Amino acid sequence: MAVGLIIIISLYCKNAESQNEAVFLPDVTVCAGAEWDTQNLTQDSIVYTCRQICAEGWQHCTYTVSGETDHSGCLIPHLAFVVEGMGGELRWSCGGTTTLFIYNGMGGAEWGASGEESRELEKDGVRLVEVKWEGGVLLDGIRLGWFSRKNGNGTTIRELSGRPGAIIKWVHDNLSQNYTFGTAGCSGGGMATFSPVYWYYKELAPTLDYQFITGAALPWDVEAWCGVNRENEGRCENAPMMKCETDKDCIAPRGRCAYPKVTMRSLVGIAVRTLVDYIIGGGKKCVVSAGHPLMRESSYRYTPGSYDYNHKIDFDFGEGEPGEESLDDTLLGFTGNAAYIYEQLTGPKEWFDNDGYSHCASSGNPELVPITLDRIRKGLKLK
């Protein structure tokens, strides 16, 4: 009887482990320089390794790049790394105490702080940290960066998000020096900064003081995103706690009822669905609105995680710019997915609906950038 009980307990523990696979963030390997070796197991996968691993403390392996300076003109430090088979680089301001980690969109294959506007924060004593992933797999002309698979097998957004999550944790532990620490991400950068916090909350949630997410590409329900099923009840793009079935339910003259589904009427919508199909290795399941098991394993709705955080999160969307349907967060399903997430968050939060602007306009439109910077300053408690 005792032996049988032990077997049952053992099987239960193994099952629990399988359900919570990839709970812990992967390790970050620091490279001696920005040189990697790559291996392609298939045409649509890639694995990076450091050509030479940093043998001493990471401080001895930083380097500078001519022309890459912070607001003061100082050549900013860089550091190369590999995490879960994907290579990348970090760079950060020479000074500052409060730390803001900035992520770019899509697969993060470009530096996050584009233009002098974002560097205005350095005047306030903010250390800007950026990541740039190596290009990785090229899909329909787009460099997938941290979305790149390691082999020919399908994977999940949950597993892949461990890569940016590990870098967030590394930056906090090694660069923030326990001062205020926040993140800012646009589009895929919103996924890179929020998804790891949902799935790897035990390691990441305690490190964060603030997050700014614009054009949030957050996979609350990937099946719904792909049009496999349709929520009969939406959320108002201008008031995410308000349930709706038609635009008229949203009261505001131009307020629309937002659903998690991404439209196929734009190239961006097609690109989003194509990316999902690449990640899950499912042929054209998402493109044709067919189901696949890994869709649910890539969704917050069906996988264990946490919405209970102490830090404030600002959500920001661009919706309704004339002639820019392909860059409308509601039509892309981003507003609808994020609204379901927003209503479940227990901590401090705020929702900004930029009516008449396009996707991620708050990080690039001259009219909105000053407003965005003030919101970030407030979130970081600088004002």
Side-chain angles (χ1 to χ4, degrees):
M1 182 70 174
V3 173
L5 182 60
I6 291 172
I7 292 174
I8 291 172
I9 293 174
S10 175
L11 289 173
Y12 173 81
C13 290
K14 287 183 179 179
N15 184 52
E17 288 174 2
S18 66
Q19 289 179 350
N20 291 281
E21 186 180 357
V23 166
F24 298 104
L25 292 168
D27 293 330
V28 176
T29 301
V30 177
C31 304
E35 294 182 309
W36 300 268
D37 292 319
T38 59
Q39 181 182 12
N40 300 89
L41 299 180
T42 63
Q43 289 185 339
D44 60 358
S45 66
I46 192 167
V47 174
Y48 288 77
T49 54
C50 296
R51 184 156 296 174
Q52 183 178 348
I53 294 175
C54 183
E56 302 180 71
W58 64 265
Q59 297 90 340
H60 298 280
C61 295
T62 61
Y63 53 93
T64 59
V65 176
S66 177
E68 295 193 9
T69 62
D70 63 12
H71 192 273
S72 70
C74 173
L75 283 171
I76 56 182
H78 291 61
L79 193 69
F81 64 85
V82 167
V83 58
E84 268 297 288
M86 191 64 218
E89 295 177 82
L90 290 168
R91 70 179 187 184
W92 58 90
S93 310
C94 297
T97 51
T98 295
T99 300
L100 181 68
F101 192 8
I102 302 176
Y103 252 89
N104 208 333
M106 195 51 187
E110 302 289 343
W111 293 118
S114 57
E116 286 300 308
E117 295 88 353
S118 54
R119 299 219 168 269
E120 285 291 316
L121 291 171
E122 292 174 339
K123 294 180 180 179
D124 301 312
V126 176
R127 180 193 298 273
L128 297 182
V129 182
E130 305 164 73
V131 63
K132 183 180 75 170
W133 297 90
E134 285 297 285
V137 171
L138 191 67
L139 179 68
D140 292 345
I142 299 173
R143 292 179 293 167
L144 296 188
W146 66 271
F147 288 119
S148 301
R149 299 197 316 256
K150 294 189 295 183
N151 53 48
N153 300 326
T155 183
T156 64
I157 297 173
R158 179 189 185 189
E159 182 174 349
L160 292 175
S161 69
R163 290 168 165 172
I167 297 303
I168 293 172
K169 182 71 162 55
W170 191 96
V171 168
H172 171 268
D173 293 350
N174 293 280
L175 297 180
S176 75
Q177 300 175 325
N178 290 322
Y179 288 99
T180 300
F181 179 63
T183 67
C186 161
S187 192
M191 185 187 294
T193 50
F194 184 83
S195 288
V197 181
Y198 174 77
W199 279 307
Y200 303 88
Y201 60 93
K202 290 183 180 179
E203 293 177 87
L204 287 177
T207 70
L208 290 160
D209 298 294
Y210 173 70
Q211 291 191 284
F212 180 84
I213 303 171
T214 178
L218 302 179
W220 177 73
D221 186 338
V222 176
E223 285 184 331
W225 210 353
C226 296
V228 177
N229 53 55
R230 185 184 187 276
E231 290 290 336
N232 293 321
E233 183 181 80
R235 299 292 184 272
C236 291
E237 64 179 11
N238 54 303
M241 303 293 284
M242 185 180 295
K243 299 177 181 179
C244 58
E245 292 184 6
T246 68
D247 293 348
K248 292 181 180 179
D249 297 332
C250 296
I251 303 175
R254 294 183 59 185
R256 293 170 297 174
C257 190
Y259 292 92
K261 182 180 178 180
V262 58
T263 180
M264 288 288 282
R265 289 183 289 171
S266 72
L267 292 176
V268 177
I270 294 172
V272 169
R273 290 203 183 189
T274 301
L275 174 62
V276 170
D277 280 332
Y278 168 79
I279 291 171
I280 65 176
K284 292 188 176 182
K285 295 292 187 182
C286 185
V287 167
V288 300
S289 298
H292 189 282
L294 293 182
M295 288 182 182
R296 290 201 169 196
E297 292 185 37
S298 291
S299 305
Y300 306 160
R301 185 176 188 175
Y302 301 109
T303 56
S306 175
Y307 293 108
D308 301 324
Y309 318 128
N310 294 321
H311 65 279
K312 184 185 180 186
I313 306 177
D314 284 338
F315 291 87
D316 177 280
F317 296 91
E319 299 153 337
E321 182 174 353
E324 289 290 348
E325 278 196 354
S326 67
L327 295 174
D328 184 312
D329 284 332
T330 293
L331 296 180
L332 289 171
F334 297 163
T335 311
N337 272 281
Y340 281 91
I341 295 163
Y342 184 85
E343 69 178 344
Q344 296 181 73
L345 292 171
T346 61
K349 57 191 177 183
E350 202 160 354
W351 183 278
F352 303 101
D353 172 38
N354 298 309
D355 187 27
Y357 291 89
S358 63
H359 174 65
C360 287
S362 62
S363 62
N365 187 294
E367 296 177 1
L368 295 182
V369 167
I371 299 172
T372 298
L373 294 182
D374 278 343
R375 286 174 180 160
I376 291 174
R377 290 185 181 102
K378 182 179 178 182
L380 294 173
K381 295 182 168 50
L382 297 174
K383 59 177 294 184

